[in-house]
């Protein structure tokens, strides 16, 4: 698959005089690739599993934390609609989702878990400034939560695509019906959290979806 460029899906990502996203809080595909984001060994399973769990519709972000061997530890989804959206706002939304479902790993010398982001949106698979803002937000949220920054995946009517990777597929897409978890190879048992309390309860609610 090849990358193209498309206008941003929200006019708020460009300034009135035609400039880029506010304060440059976005990443382009070349910057993302240069950052050395770890590749998913089986992106199709990850995408199918998250789609089955969260049934995303356009404007839905699904943030997932993966442990060793890409085992799903926790995930959360939310709808993000804002006329002033940029990387900073997306970062805060992602942090809020992460804090609901999993404790941070800031005490570790280096990250041991990886966060990936699946974003369902309108349009085609070509990179947009909205994608760039989500990529910036994901990278920053991972730093602040003690996680390794993983893949950014778009989900559109044409299917899914791992940005900067070149891998993708036609199903699932933004208008696909979710499969039952037992019917997809992406069904994986979440690892237990190291701490209890609200985070563990939030994870149980997420895993039950």
């Amino acid at each position: 698959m090849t990358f193209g460029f498309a206008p941003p899906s929200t006019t708020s990502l460009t300034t009135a005089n035609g400039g880029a996203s506010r304060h440059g809080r976005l990443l382009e595909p070349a910057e993302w690739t240069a950052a050395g984001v770890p590749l998913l060994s089986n992106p199709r399973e990850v995408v199918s599993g998250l789609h089955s769990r969260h049934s995303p519709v356009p404007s839905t972000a699904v943030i997932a934390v993966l442990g060793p061997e890409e085992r799903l530890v926790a995930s959360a989804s939310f709808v993000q609609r804002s006329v002033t959206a940029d990387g900073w706002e997306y970062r805060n939304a992602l942090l809020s989702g992460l804090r609901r479902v999993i404790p941070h790993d800031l005490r570790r010398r280096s990250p041991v878990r990886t966060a990936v982001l699946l974003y369902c949106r309108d349009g085609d698979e070509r990179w947009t400034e909205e994608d760039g803002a989500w990529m910036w937000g994901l990278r920053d949220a991972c730093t602040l939560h003690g996680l390794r920054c993983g893949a950014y995946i778009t989900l559109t009517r044409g299917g899914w695509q791992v940005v900067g990777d070149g891998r993708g597929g036609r199903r699932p897409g933004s208008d696909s019906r979710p499969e039952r978890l037992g019917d997809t190879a992406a069904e994986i048992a979440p690892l237990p959290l190291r701490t209890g309390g609200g985070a563990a309860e939030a994870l149980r609610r997420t895993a039950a979806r």
Side-chain angles (χ1 to χ4, degrees):
M1 300 180 73
T2 58
F3 286 104
F5 294 88
S9 58
T10 58
T11 56
S12 62
L13 291 174
T14 56
T15 60
N17 60 4
S21 180
R22 292 188 302 154
H23 309 295
R25 292 186 291 227
L26 62 80
L27 294 174
E28 295 190 3
E31 296 176 291
W32 185 254
T33 301
V37 175
L39 300 178
L40 290 169
S41 61
N42 195 332
R44 186 182 302 276
E45 286 192 0
V46 173
V47 172
S48 297
L50 294 179
H51 184 265
S52 295
R53 287 176 180 273
H54 295 277
S55 305
V57 296
S59 298
T60 301
V62 181
I63 182 73
V65 179
L66 306 179
E69 300 180 359
E70 295 183 3
R71 290 175 60 87
L72 181 64
V73 177
S75 62
S77 62
F78 57 91
V79 174
Q80 182 74 13
R81 292 192 181 97
S82 174
V83 296
T84 60
D86 70 351
W88 181 83
E89 184 172 346
Y90 291 159
R91 185 273 310 271
N92 290 344
L94 291 170
L95 271 177
S96 178
L98 287 169
R99 289 166 178 162
R100 289 201 312 269
V101 298
I102 195 166
H104 67 72
D105 277 346
L106 293 173
R107 291 188 179 90
R108 296 183 179 273
R109 289 188 175 184
S110 59
V112 296
R113 297 186 285 202
T114 302
V116 301
L117 175 60
L118 172 71
Y119 182 57
C120 182
R121 61 167 173 79
D122 294 320
D124 57 29
E125 74 280 1
R126 293 178 297 171
W127 180 88
T128 69
E129 287 187 0
E130 183 183 23
D131 294 326
W134 277 113
M135 291 152 67
W136 188 97
L138 175 61
R139 185 185 65 176
D140 217 42
C142 288
T143 299
L144 295 174
H145 208 69
L147 300 169
R148 182 185 298 111
C149 180
Y152 173 68
I153 306 161
T154 59
L155 190 71
T156 63
R157 294 188 95 182
W160 58 272
Q161 177 171 271
V162 183
V163 174
D165 185 340
R167 290 181 293 175
R170 294 184 178 179
R171 296 187 64 83
S174 60
D175 55 356
S176 298
R177 295 183 59 182
E179 298 180 5
R180 293 185 303 171
L181 283 171
D183 293 341
T184 173
E187 169 65 351
I188 24 190
L191 296 176
L193 291 178
R194 291 182 289 109
T195 60
E201 179 62 26
L203 175 56
R204 284 193 291 272
R205 290 198 302 267
T206 301
R209 294 190 60 168

